[in-house]
Amino acid sequence: MSEKISVMISESDVDKRIAELGAKISKDYEGRTVHMICVLKGGVFFMCELAKKITVPVTMDFMSVSSYGNGTVSSGVVKIVKDLDDTIEGKDVLVVEDIIDSGRTLSYLLDTLKSRKPNSLKLCTLLDKPDRRVTEVNVDYTGFEIEDKFVIGYGLDYAQKYRNLPYIGVVELD
Ligand code: IMP
Ligand code: MG
């Protein structure tokens, strides 16, 4: 079985959209510091590129979560595998994700973070598959809404591979 990759969103289109998001976030957070929280590992490429386009002060932290369940469908019960290093109390927190699918992971994560009393809590995702939503999530910044296809690249993996692709692709198995 070989894996063929086709391009869904080109590198230049992704870069252009990230620059637009960075400009919007810079405007919305004027006079404040954005505390960006990356959800590992998928969010890391997007967060780094986005941070470079933000002109207000930025601080960063990282967390890693995993879904309990059978592995292919997220169960909604999320385990924090790596927690944040720093407190978020009183901070203007922007959670940065690669993709929102069922919404279960983010819904749990946002509830957990909210209980830690940030000054504000917003969500930025590179990709959104709205047709797949099971749990409602309020998304503040979206790069692209996409159809229900399994995508890779720009942080997103297929069996841990392809995260380093500089574009969003689709794996075709044949
Ligand atoms: P959910 O929103 O709780 O269903 O889970 C979202 C997580 O599933 C994302 O953070 C990704 O790690 C993973 N995921 C969902 N859709 C895709 C995809 O198309 N490609 C790669 N990973 C995906
Ligand atoms: Mg993820």
Side-chain angles (χ1 to χ4, degrees):
M1 194 167 67
S2 68
E3 295 159 17
K4 225 180 86 208
I5 312 287
S6 60
V7 178
M8 180 190 265
I9 308 169
S10 71
E11 181 172 5
S12 61
D13 284 352
V14 176
D15 290 348
K16 192 167 154 256
R17 184 69 186 126
I18 292 177
E20 287 170 3
L21 288 174
K24 173 93 172 80
I25 291 166
S26 303
K27 221 169 141 202
D28 292 352
Y29 285 82
E30 215 174 308
R32 293 185 287 164
T33 295
V34 193
H35 189 61
M36 299 176 86
I37 291 180
C38 175
V39 185
L40 294 168
K41 309 176 176 110
V44 77
F45 289 78
F46 177 42
M47 181 157 112
C48 293
E49 292 308 309
L50 181 62
K52 290 196 283 185
K53 303 293 179 192
I54 295 176
T55 52
V56 297
V58 167
T59 53
M60 292 179 186
D61 207 345
F62 299 84
M63 74 191 296
S64 183
V65 296
S66 76
S67 273
Y68 288 111
N70 65 18
T72 52
V73 182
S74 67
S75 61
V77 183
V78 176
K79 186 174 127 193
I80 296 178
V81 177
K82 182 221 171 293
D83 207 340
L84 299 170
D85 289 335
D86 303 317
T87 176
I88 57 168
E89 193 172 340
K91 294 180 184 170
D92 290 303
V93 172
L94 181 64
V95 175
V96 181
E97 249 291 34
D98 50 0
I99 191 163
I100 305 186
D101 190 37
S102 72
R104 287 184 171 119
T105 309
L106 256 292
S107 163
Y108 174 88
L109 195 62
L110 290 175
D111 283 350
T112 304
L113 294 177
K114 213 176 285 168
S115 72
R116 299 183 187 182
K117 301 186 172 53
N119 182 53
S120 65
L121 182 60
K122 284 190 176 188
L123 172 61
C124 179
T125 186
L126 178 59
L127 303 173
D128 188 0
K129 289 189 209 171
D131 295 346
R132 298 261 304 169
R133 198 71 89 254
V134 173
T135 308
E136 204 188 315
V137 182
N138 184 26
V139 188
D140 300 282
Y141 305 97
T142 304
F144 301 91
E145 284 193 356
I146 59 167
E147 56 185 312
D148 180 12
K149 284 196 171 159
F150 193 83
V151 289
I152 44 138
Y154 234 98
L156 291 148
D157 74 301
Y158 171 64
Q160 296 300 326
K161 287 192 297 183
Y162 304 120
R163 292 189 195 276
N164 59 314
L165 293 182
Y167 56 87
I168 304 296
V170 180
V171 190
E172 284 156 16
L173 300 172
D174 49 40

